[in-house]
Amino acid sequence: MAPPEEENVSKWSVKDVTDWLDSISLGHKSDLIETAKFDGEKLSGASAEDLQAIGFSNLQCKKILRELESRPASGGAALQAENASLKQEMAELRAMVKSLQTQMGASKPAASTGVIAARPTTVIPFCTRAVIEGAQTQVLTVTLSPGEVLRAEPGAMVHMSYYIKMETKTGGGGGGFRRLMTGQSLFLTEFTYMGPKGSADTIALTPDFPAEIIPVNLDHYQRKIICQRGSLLASGLIDISIEFTQSFGAGFFGGEGFILQGLNGSGYVFLNARGTVLKKDLDAGEKLIVATGNLVAFSSTVKYGITNMGGGLQNDFFGGEGFFVSEMTGPGTVWVESHDMSRLWKEMQSKV
């Protein structure tokens, strides 16, 4: 089926959208568009999460957004303004790359060790540049343009372009100590794409254990979430802060220790978790009980505490959940993993 004749996507009808999906080999998903009454106005402003919410897979979202991005600009005033904005961003990127090339000198990237210095940077549009592949042992592939910087845990890199420069750093200003306190490595790595103007290339990362990778847009959670120690895989240039548990009991019995890590900033972060990951949205005052060791992360609006399972000593000693569990109180979002690594390790030891 031919794509719509109207160039301005925001003016498309629902049928125009389904015709366009058919033209990019996604016509078998037209029912999702029709059910959600997803017209051109919604499509033109849609994010990957908006598309996933109506039933598209992660890879299908990437394809839809890439195809939209590659469409020629129409004569509409709104799209002309967007085109002008993109040209301005490209000009700023070219200036940044020129400045970086002047400072770095050598054309071939090399690894070095140093301290992170504050500098202006662009936020990587992960919604169109990041692809997560695999099932329970996943790989994150990110496409970088000149001057863009990706941060990751040491040892996470699987492969990368020749023009991507790797630097190992501590975080500066006590940043390395803060990372160490929150369960991450003392060091982190920054990957900066130094390729020619107008080019782009990829880097692939994976956790150091079989895990599922969770993309979280901080802009959807008041630019901050709180994670269990060691759960961060990769991000743009965000701040990592120390988050103390809200009570002595939560730290002593909650299974995650007294110190958690706060991820502060804009754009996406990528977390890793064992087994299947569940996302639970809590209303104000709603409580969720999470087994010790299965908590991955939660939004900053959620209150974290501990509680007894109840039901007497028989539950405490023989119920398998221990004496205490985590109690999460809304409003906000909680991410939970199906596998507790410490419990899995104990089970493996018992079989040896």
Side-chain angles (χ1 to χ4, degrees), residues 73-88:
S74 72
L79 288 181
Q80 285 180 347
E82 182 179 353
N83 196 34
S85 175
L86 288 173
K87 288 181 179 178
Q88 177 64 27

Side-chain angles (χ1 to χ4, degrees), residues 3-20:
E5 295 182 1
E6 172 60 58
E7 290 185 350
N8 192 338
V9 175
S10 63
K11 294 184 179 179
W12 285 359
S13 64
V14 171
K15 186 178 184 306
D16 288 334
V17 175
T18 58
D19 289 348
W20 178 73

Side-chain angles (χ1 to χ4, degrees), residues 156-170:
M157 191 271 291
V158 177
H159 66 77
M160 67 180 186
S161 161
Y162 174 87
Y163 288 105
I164 293 178
K165 175 187 176 183
M166 186 185 84
E167 293 182 280
T168 304
K169 301 185 176 183
T170 63

Side-chain angles (χ1 to χ4, degrees), residues 71-133:
R71 286 184 55 78
S74 72
L79 288 181
Q80 285 180 347
E82 182 179 353
N83 196 34
S85 175
L86 288 173
K87 288 181 179 178
Q88 177 64 27
E89 290 180 9
M90 288 301 298
E92 292 173 358
L93 275 176
R94 284 194 291 269
M96 181 181 296
V97 172
K98 185 176 180 181
S99 174
L100 284 170
Q101 288 173 336
T102 301
Q103 294 175 34
M104 300 301 180
S107 60
K108 184 183 185 305
S112 65
T113 301
V115 174
I116 297 173
R119 62 187 184 277
T121 183
T122 56
V123 176
I124 302 171
F126 286 111
C127 60
T128 57
R129 305 272 199 83
V131 176
I132 297 172
E133 301 173 278

Side-chain angles (χ1 to χ4, degrees), residues 111-114 116 150-158 160 166-171 175-176 179-180 183-191 203-209 230-235 240 261 270 272:
S112 65
T113 301
I116 297 173
L150 178 70
R151 280 183 180 172
E153 281 299 293
M157 191 271 291
V158 177
M160 67 180 186
M166 186 185 84
E167 293 182 280
T168 304
K169 301 185 176 183
T170 63
R179 288 170 48 74
L180 196 62
Q184 304 292 134
S185 166
L186 175 64
F187 296 94
L188 54 74
T189 50
E190 284 191 358
F191 299 93
I203 177 171
L205 308 170
T206 194
D208 57 4
F209 51 82
S231 65
L232 178 62
L233 172 66
S235 69
I240 299 175
Q261 59 181 352
F270 296 88
N272 53 65

Side-chain angles (χ1 to χ4, degrees), residues 32-291:
L32 300 179
I33 295 295
E34 292 169 347
T35 302
K37 296 182 171 55
F38 215 80
D39 59 14
E41 184 176 357
K42 293 180 181 178
L43 181 64
S44 62
S47 66
E49 290 191 354
D50 295 330
L51 294 169
Q52 287 176 342
I54 65 172
F56 286 100
S57 70
N58 184 53
L59 288 177
Q60 289 166 350
C61 293
K62 306 306 177 191
K63 180 172 184 178
I64 290 171
L65 293 171
R66 280 198 302 268
E67 292 289 342
L68 283 173
E69 196 176 55
S70 66
R71 286 184 55 78
S74 72
L79 288 181
Q80 285 180 347
E82 182 179 353
N83 196 34
S85 175
L86 288 173
K87 288 181 179 178
Q88 177 64 27
E89 290 180 9
M90 288 301 298
E92 292 173 358
L93 275 176
R94 284 194 291 269
M96 181 181 296
V97 172
K98 185 176 180 181
S99 174
L100 284 170
Q101 288 173 336
T102 301
Q103 294 175 34
M104 300 301 180
S107 60
K108 184 183 185 305
S112 65
T113 301
V115 174
I116 297 173
R119 62 187 184 277
T121 183
T122 56
V123 176
I124 302 171
F126 286 111
C127 60
T128 57
R129 305 272 199 83
V131 176
I132 297 172
E133 301 173 278
Q136 294 301 314
T137 304
Q138 295 189 320
V139 176
L140 169 67
T141 302
V142 180
T143 301
L144 298 178
S145 293
E148 291 180 336
V149 180
L150 178 70
R151 280 183 180 172
E153 281 299 293
M157 191 271 291
V158 177
H159 66 77
M160 67 180 186
S161 161
Y162 174 87
Y163 288 105
I164 293 178
K165 175 187 176 183
M166 186 185 84
E167 293 182 280
T168 304
K169 301 185 176 183
T170 63
F177 173 76
R178 288 197 301 271
R179 288 170 48 74
L180 196 62
M181 290 290 290
T182 58
Q184 304 292 134
S185 166
L186 175 64
F187 296 94
L188 54 74
T189 50
E190 284 191 358
F191 299 93
T192 306
Y193 183 66
M194 305 295 293
K197 179 174 64 176
S199 67
D201 217 326
T202 59
I203 177 171
L205 308 170
T206 194
D208 57 4
F209 51 82
E212 183 173 339
I213 299 172
I214 315 168
V216 180
N217 189 344
L218 294 180
D219 295 322
H220 294 173
Y221 301 98
Q222 300 181 6
R223 298 194 172 186
K224 180 178 181 180
I225 63 170
I226 299 169
C227 306
Q228 70 163 277
R229 302 172 63 186
S231 65
L232 178 62
L233 172 66
S235 69
L237 297 181
I238 64 165
D239 292 324
I240 299 175
S241 62
I242 295 174
E243 297 291 330
F244 291 94
T245 54
Q246 296 173 340
S247 69
F248 178 85
F252 192 77
F253 298 110
E256 306 303 335
F258 293 100
I259 300 174
L260 303 174
Q261 59 181 352
L263 307 181
N264 311 265
S266 183
Y268 279 83
V269 296
F270 296 88
L271 310 179
N272 53 65
R274 279 77 65 174
T276 300
V277 177
L278 304 176
K279 178 183 175 184
K280 310 294 290 185
D281 293 315
L282 306 182
D283 294 328
E286 182 180 357
K287 294 183 183 294
L288 178 71
I289 302 300
V290 181

